Amino acid sequence: MLSYQKHPRALSEAGLRQLVAKALDKGWVREVFHSEHERAHRNISDEDVMYGLERPDWVFGAPPDFDSKHKSWEYLVKTCDLEGVELHLKIVPNVADGTVKVITKF
């Protein structure tokens, strides 16, 4: 018999909001190298990222996308920065440990 592993379900918007809120509260939101260094020329500060995720009015910018290479769901969040300028964040939550990684920002 052939067996395969099916990837876990994507989080709902409410589930993602709950996980992000907890990660923000605990200080468990981090940027990966690409977001923090390779996208640094965009002049989007860490404070802009945190502010955008803390806002109650952020929305999905696209349906969740499963990254089969890293075996994780990626979520595009549309929000705004401290100055009110539109901000898009691609994030990867880890349900097992409650952390959130910001993998790109624009």
Side-chain angles (χ1 to χ4, degrees):
M1 174 188 267
L2 292 175
S3 67
Y4 64 95
Q5 279 193 323
K6 194 174 178 181
H7 51 74
R9 284 186 155 169
L11 292 170
S12 65
E13 186 174 320
L16 183 61
R17 283 182 186 281
Q18 186 175 27
L19 193 144
V20 167
K22 182 178 180 182
L24 286 165
D25 185 53
K26 299 284 188 179
W28 295 343
V29 177
R30 299 284 183 260
E31 287 188 71
V32 298
F33 184 83
H34 172 73
S35 177
E36 190 171 13
H37 299 285
E38 294 176 344
R39 303 289 285 184
H41 68 280
R42 301 300 303 252
N43 294 323
I44 300 169
S45 71
D46 189 48
E47 290 81 16
D48 287 324
V49 171
M50 298 305 152
Y51 177 80
L53 289 173
E54 289 170 347
R55 292 181 57 86
D57 60 349
W58 62 257
V59 296
F60 283 161
D65 180 42
F66 189 75
D67 179 352
S68 57
K69 180 179 177 184
H70 296 104
K71 297 181 178 27
S72 60
W73 283 99
E74 297 177 349
Y75 300 82
L76 181 62
V77 172
K78 286 175 58 176
T79 187
C80 65
D81 66 13
L82 288 164
E83 289 85 32
V85 176
E86 189 171 273
L87 176 62
H88 294 217
L89 303 169
K90 193 143 203 191
I91 63 173
V92 176
N94 184 327
V95 176
D97 66 10
T99 60
V100 173
K101 292 180 185 172
V102 179
I103 58 175
T104 196
K105 57 191 177 188
F106 53 97

